[in-house]
Amino acid sequence: MLAALGWGAVAASSLVIGAVLGMIRKWHAGLVGGVLAFGAGALISSVAFELAQEGLTIAGPIPVAIGLAAGALAFFAANAAVNKIGGRSGGGAGGLPLALGSLLDGIPEQAVLGIGLAAGEGVSVALLVAIFISNLPEGIGSASDLRSAGKSPRAVLGLWCVVAVACMLATLGGYGLASVAGPEIKAGIDGFAAGALLVMLVDSMIPEATEKAGSRAGLVTVIGFAVAAALSNLV
């Protein structure tokens, strides 16, 4: 349990680091988009090699398929609710919708870390790197927007600390749930996280990377995939 909290804190810390970076200087959109693209590729690799493959190995295709559908639908519904209050566009009072959007992205990512630890596999370096990198642009972009809107550095940092703590607790939740579940349930949890991540990648992360990085986004995504796939098989 302490390991889940610790690794969850490491992964979530990049949200706060990104927020600090976003407040201290302006970042070129192309660079932010490139980091997003790299993180997207790394997360695609994690979905394939850390989630779907593991679920198929321990319980077969049916629990994974059910989990995929449930995760995709759950994220779609939650994302639609966040969008209604301006979560993806930056609207809303006090920057809260921006934080909700990042929290929504972070929950399935970080829950997977806890699932892997509960299974006795240790922390996935590839997934940890993917989460850490993908969090940075969210913190950078949103903190910059909030500062431009007149929010104080203390308020911006406090908001992102809350988001980071919530994401860290998602790692603990994944650990706790997987610790008491049988193989079929664990495979369903893997599928659920995979479905949620895939919808998040297609609906928000990849489009934003393409918008900011342009035609280079696809190439950088492949590089991110290759690096994470190598880490999955080497570590």
Side-chain angles (χ1 to χ4, degrees):
M1 185 175 291
L2 289 176
L5 278 173
W7 286 116
V10 171
S13 67
S14 57
L15 285 167
V16 180
I17 293 171
V20 172
L21 292 173
M23 288 188 291
I24 62 177
R25 59 161 290 182
K26 287 284 187 180
W27 296 87
H28 189 272
L31 177 60
V32 175
V35 176
L36 271 172
F38 186 94
L43 284 173
I44 292 170
S45 174
S46 296
V47 167
F49 299 114
E50 307 285 344
L51 295 175
Q53 180 174 299
E54 176 64 19
L56 291 170
T57 299
I58 63 176
I62 294 178
V64 175
I66 293 172
L68 277 166
L73 288 170
F75 187 92
F76 179 83
N79 195 44
V82 169
N83 280 330
K84 281 187 177 181
I85 57 171
R88 299 296 182 184
S89 62
L96 180 59
L98 279 170
L100 288 175
S102 296
L103 178 62
L104 183 60
D105 294 347
I107 286 174
E109 294 173 352
Q110 301 226 182
V112 174
L113 286 177
I115 292 168
L117 288 166
E121 302 166 0
V123 67
S124 165
V125 176
L127 182 61
L128 184 65
V129 170
I131 295 171
F132 194 94
I133 291 174
S134 65
N135 281 343
L136 287 172
E138 293 187 358
I140 291 171
S142 58
S144 298
D145 289 345
L146 288 167
R147 287 292 290 132
S148 298
K151 300 298 178 185
S152 70
R154 182 176 179 178
V156 173
L157 191 59
L159 181 64
W160 286 98
C161 283
V162 170
V163 174
V165 169
C167 287
M168 179 183 69
L169 293 176
T171 307
L172 186 61
Y175 178 90
L177 188 58
S179 295
V180 298
E184 290 80 9
I185 300 299
K186 288 181 181 178
I189 294 170
D190 284 336
F192 186 95
L197 285 175
L198 285 171
V199 175
M200 181 272 287
L201 285 163
V202 174
D203 281 359
S204 60
M205 195 167 178
I206 292 174
E208 186 177 352
T210 303
E211 178 185 350
K212 287 182 166 64
S215 60
R216 293 169 294 179
L219 177 61
V220 179
T221 299
V222 173
I223 295 172
F225 180 94
V227 170
L231 288 173
S232 294
N233 288 279
L234 291 176
V235 181

